[in-house]
Amino acid sequence: MAVTYEWRGTGRRKGTRTYFDAMVAKVGQVEVSACVGSAVLLKAPPGELPYVALVEDLYETPKGNQMIGTRWFYRVEDVPVRQRPPGMLVSKNKG
């Protein structure tokens, strides 16, 4: 099934981009919304935990491309043990 995306709210022009506060992704009858500042879980390969990101920007380019700017968070298991800060909690929970 195809995913469609729709902006919510009035866009604000800044340079060549038009920024929005929220968007809705639709897959069939299911709608999922995200707004600037919200945390989102993104699908990972089977058997892996989802990826986690914070939505920082929602914008449209002059060519009409809809873009989402995110700040990615590392999953603990993605950080090599020697680079983990002291006291970093590690969970064995897979879901």
Side-chain angles (χ1 to χ4, degrees), residues 8-81:
R8 292 290 191 247
T10 304
R12 295 173 315 284
R13 191 99 170 147
K14 186 176 177 184
T16 61
R17 297 176 176 172
T18 303
Y19 289 83
F20 295 86
D21 293 324
M23 56 81 63
V24 174
K26 295 181 180 182
V27 182
Q29 299 295 320
V30 178
E31 290 187 7
V32 178
S33 62
C35 60
V36 173
S38 63
V40 294
L41 297 176
L42 302 173
K43 189 175 180 179
E48 291 189 25
L49 292 172
Y51 296 102
V52 181
L54 181 70
V55 177
E56 293 188 329
D57 291 310
L58 296 166
Y59 63 92
E60 189 168 294
T61 66
K63 291 183 178 182
N65 295 320
Q66 295 172 314
M67 307 295 286
I68 299 175
T70 60
R71 177 178 301 195
W72 291 95
F73 292 98
Y74 285 102
R75 297 178 297 186
V76 173
E77 61 271 11
D78 293 339
V79 179
V81 175

